[in-house]
Amino acid sequence: MKYIISMIIFLNTLILFGQTPSNDPHWQEVWKDDFNFFDNTKWVEAHYCDHGEPQLYLEQNVWTSGGNLVIKVDNNPTYCPSSPPSPTTWACGSCNTGTHNYTSGWVETKQAYNTRYGYIEARIKLPYRYGFWPAFWTWRGAGVPTTNEAEIDVFEMVGHKPSNIMGTNIHTYYPDGNIFGQDITPTNFNYANTWHTYGIEWSPNKIIWYVDGSPARVFPNHGIIDPVRTILNLAIEPGYLPPTSPSFTDYMYVDYVKVYDLNNDCNTTLNVCNYNFGTHDNRVKKSITIGNGNCNNSLNIGDNIYLRASEGVSINGDFTVPVGAELYIDVNSCY
């Protein structure tokens, strides 16, 4: 059995599903952290801030152990003094004076690790308890002018909902303005005390959320265009407070964070009749035209071919994709 395909794909055509760096060689790693130690050249811990929420973030609630970043949350009452230490993170801010019934941890990337577009991924294990509010998200980058809040929630889990529900949101303005949120239920998903890989592919045209390497949500990009910092934290959700007694302690674990960018060659056009897909150099082209004459192109069983271009991909004439081969095509602006 075979399929004969004739197609033209133009700029701004919505391609629903992307490919992660694990199977698309167009992606190149920009930086990663495996958390074999706490790298204070990449990360800063929040200290004596509450982000306007019930918990008090403290630097001692964040450390690394066994190749994981560990964030501890507990219901140990802790006081924010009238003159707390200067905020360590601008994103988190300071704290309101008085006793906080919960403490937790927050880390965010430093200015040198701001990210603009690309693929951001982390492997994380989360606790599940009523009132817990762990998040993996972006916010406008440190030290650079920005046009809006630039928040993409890779996930927000809220403990008053079932543990198979994952919150995904885009925020461009606060409060309550330009929020494009959606709760999703990925297939066979339960985050409670279970490792999962979470990622986003972020381009000028769209954002794709991934869970364990599979696309879970696709949404047009509504103006998230500025460099962002990456944030990991475990909050307490206002209005859904866990008990203050008996005492509890729970942990959020992060195995790694990785950031990728596309390998671009966006000034080059590719225009061939019979194409050798085995020698494709896996860089994003300006345009790709295959089969521009009396041509017959075919993939082989087992091939997984990825074609990316900024202006268009055109496949003309007979084109064979046998059962057992895969072809992925994406058209997106270069950045």
Side-chain angles (χ1 to χ4, degrees), residues 123-138:
R123 183 171 180 262
I124 302 172
K125 183 167 74 170
L126 298 170
Y128 177 59
R129 185 186 291 267
Y130 185 88
F132 281 9
W133 187 14
F136 171 31
W137 53 297
T138 74

Side-chain angles (χ1 to χ4, degrees), residues 63-123:
W63 65 88
T64 57
S65 176
N68 296 317
L69 177 73
V70 183
I71 296 177
K72 182 180 78 169
V73 60
D74 60 31
N75 58 353
N76 177 32
T78 305
Y79 188 76
C80 174
S82 58
S83 298
S86 298
T88 53
T89 74
W90 182 61
C92 185
S94 188
C95 57
N96 293 314
T97 302
T99 298
H100 292 64
N101 288 323
Y102 312 93
T103 72
S104 191
W106 163 311
V107 297
E108 65 181 62
T109 48
K110 291 187 173 181
Q111 181 176 347
Y113 292 88
N114 285 348
T115 299
R116 184 174 184 264
Y117 304 133
Y119 189 88
I120 306 171
E121 180 182 86
R123 183 171 180 262

Side-chain angles (χ1 to χ4, degrees), residues 39-44 108-114 142 229:
D39 189 346
N40 57 19
T41 68
K42 292 185 174 78
W43 303 95
V44 58
E108 65 181 62
T109 48
K110 291 187 173 181
Q111 181 176 347
Y113 292 88
N114 285 348
R229 72 193 80 196

Side-chain angles (χ1 to χ4, degrees), residues 1-7 295-298 315-322:
M1 180 184 295
K2 68 180 182 180
Y3 301 95
I4 307 299
I5 300 175
S6 180
M7 67 181 78
C295 310
N296 190 338
N297 287 277
S298 177
I315 297 180
N316 307 304
D318 288 346
F319 190 88
T320 305
V321 181

Side-chain angles (χ1 to χ4, degrees), residues 272-295:
V272 294
C273 180
N274 295 305
Y275 187 55
N276 183 350
F277 290 96
T279 62
H280 185 64
D281 66 0
N282 296 310
R283 291 183 292 170
V284 181
K285 303 298 182 183
K286 180 178 181 180
S287 65
I288 298 174
T289 301
I290 296 173
N292 57 351
N294 185 20
C295 310

